[in-house]
Amino acid sequence: VGGRCCFLARSRREMETLRGFVLENEEPDLFLRTSLGMTSRLCELYPLLTTDLSYSLRRIVGVTVKVGSQSETLEYFVVQKCERSAPMMDQDLLKHCKTPAQRLEAPSYEPQPFGCSSTSTEVPDGIGTAP
């Protein structure tokens, strides 16, 4: 705990992998925990809360730099390993947490246009007529 690590990413794939790793092991700050409370939405935003790991990561620095005339992009992160301050989510709340695949599913209902009845197709009197 307390160790720091520096990552340097040259390709887009490396950048996405590093960002994903940091985001999966980051815990919410105190303000966010108190404003949202320990809800299923919080565990969807911070997957670390669903695990029993004894540590978390905190991003110290994250910088993107363009290098050279080829506009090559380098990105580096400095992260620190910290003790967890947020407890693991309650088992009852974990049942309501959606997985990333479930959060990206298409809606299972067809939204209706505002002001329209789902069964009525006729236009009310006076709409669409000249005065």
Side-chain angles (χ1 to χ4, degrees):
V1 177
R4 290 187 180 186
C5 185
C6 179
F7 298 101
L8 178 65
R10 297 186 81 107
S11 70
R12 182 177 214 82
R13 185 180 196 188
E14 290 174 351
M15 289 179 212
E16 290 173 1
T17 303
L18 286 174
R19 281 189 201 131
F21 176 74
V22 171
L23 290 174
E24 287 177 6
N25 292 290
E26 204 172 34
E27 68 179 348
D29 60 2
L30 183 60
F31 173 76
L32 195 57
R33 280 198 319 255
T34 54
S35 61
L36 281 179
M38 293 300 269
T39 60
S40 61
R41 179 67 178 143
L42 192 63
C43 78
E44 291 172 3
L45 294 171
Y46 293 91
L48 179 71
L49 296 176
T50 63
T51 68
D52 60 350
L53 292 176
S54 61
Y55 65 90
S56 67
L57 294 181
R58 187 176 70 185
R59 186 184 323 188
I60 306 294
V61 177
V63 178
T64 303
V65 180
K66 293 205 181 246
V67 180
S69 61
Q70 301 293 326
S71 64
E72 179 184 8
T73 302
L74 296 175
E75 188 161 339
Y76 79 84
F77 292 96
V78 177
V79 295
Q80 182 174 2
K81 186 177 178 182
C82 305
E83 287 186 36
R84 276 181 68 167
S85 59
M88 184 176 169
M89 295 287 280
D90 185 59
Q91 292 298 322
D92 293 332
L93 285 175
L94 285 176
K95 294 176 188 173
H96 300 291
C97 292
K98 295 179 181 177
T99 64
Q102 290 171 329
R103 289 195 310 262
L104 296 175
E105 285 178 355
S108 59
Y109 65 93
E110 180 86 20
Q112 296 296 318
F114 181 73
C116 293
S117 168
S118 61
T119 58
S120 173
T121 57
E122 54 188 67
V123 178
D125 290 337
I127 296 181
T129 60

